[in-house]
Amino acid sequence: MNDTQSAAKLTKKIAEFQSAKKGYSGTFFIGATTPSFDLETPIESKCSIKNIDIEKLNLTSKKFLGKSQQTPPIYSAIKVNGKKLYDYARKGENVKLEKREINIYKFELTNINLPLVDFEIECSKGTYIRSIANDFGKELKSGAYLQNLVRTSIGDYKLKDALSITDFEKMIIN
């Protein structure tokens, strides 16, 4: 098999990787919101977090487990009428967003130091973690946005098992 055939065979696996379960770790900022649900846009509102404690945070995270309908963020690359949603958002144009089915398999809060809440999530294809942050804040009645996010896995591939660039270079040079 030549390199072109190998590349073509691997290209066919893209759909398999895209549909695989995803894992993320990150941080929510509780008590404020942004239009993009993350730090891409400035804070638009601030809310009190005095009513929030560890028990309330943990109970709220459990509400997200399982299948649900999620509205994607307006600041996303989803196309509507051939135009990306973020193009509409940046021009201040309204567009009707269709909900999509998602599945949250795991949602654990790993560190709580309000207003920051670290988490780990395992979810289905098409899940927007920024939307989870926004919805989490709505459930708490105090707002939230995504401050930090790292994809930790896709299917059986884990970030913790990845080679460093230096190790990869050594492997292909030798």
Side-chain angles (χ1 to χ4, degrees):
M1 187 181 308
N2 63 36
D3 288 343
T4 304
Q5 289 170 322
S6 294
K9 190 173 184 179
L10 290 173
T11 301
K12 292 179 182 179
K13 289 187 157 258
I14 290 173
E16 179 184 328
F17 293 134
Q18 289 176 329
S19 64
K21 184 189 299 185
K22 313 292 188 295
Y24 297 93
S25 66
T27 305
F28 296 152
F29 185 98
I30 308 296
T33 63
T34 71
S36 61
F37 308 159
D38 63 12
L39 291 171
E40 181 182 333
T41 55
I43 291 172
E44 66 181 348
S45 69
K46 292 184 178 181
C47 309
S48 173
I49 59 171
K50 289 180 182 176
N51 66 324
I52 297 172
D53 59 23
I54 291 173
E55 183 180 0
K56 186 171 186 175
L57 289 165
N58 283 316
L59 288 172
T60 300
S61 69
K62 289 180 183 8
K63 292 180 181 180
F64 286 81
L65 293 172
K67 289 184 180 179
S68 66
Q69 295 290 313
Q70 183 186 66
T71 302
I74 187 70
Y75 284 85
S76 67
I78 294 171
K79 288 187 178 181
V80 173
N81 300 324
K83 190 173 169 182
K84 293 182 179 174
L85 283 177
Y86 60 71
D87 289 330
Y88 290 105
R90 290 179 181 139
K91 291 179 181 175
E93 297 174 9
N94 290 326
V95 79
K96 186 173 190 287
L97 300 174
E98 298 293 326
K99 290 188 178 222
R100 298 170 165 209
E101 184 176 283
I102 63 164
N103 198 345
I104 306 295
Y105 307 105
K106 171 186 165 186
F107 186 178
E108 291 181 8
L109 305 183
T110 57
N111 188 39
I112 298 170
N113 187 14
L114 288 171
L116 303 178
V117 175
D118 296 337
F119 64 87
E120 290 181 359
I121 287 179
E122 289 181 3
C123 58
S124 63
K125 169 186 176 180
T127 303
Y128 282 88
I129 306 301
R130 290 178 289 149
S131 288
I132 300 267
N134 185 66
D135 295 343
F136 191 79
K138 283 181 181 176
E139 279 290 322
L140 293 169
K141 295 180 178 41
S142 69
Y145 63 84
L146 183 64
Q147 183 169 317
N148 180 19
L149 185 68
V150 174
R151 183 177 286 173
T152 57
S153 66
I154 182 165
D156 293 330
Y157 298 93
K158 312 281 186 229
L159 181 61
K160 67 181 176 70
D161 299 330
L163 293 174
S164 70
I165 291 174
T166 305
D167 289 343
F168 179 74
E169 287 172 339
K170 286 177 188 173
M171 187 177 81
I172 61 172
I173 291 172
N174 295 330

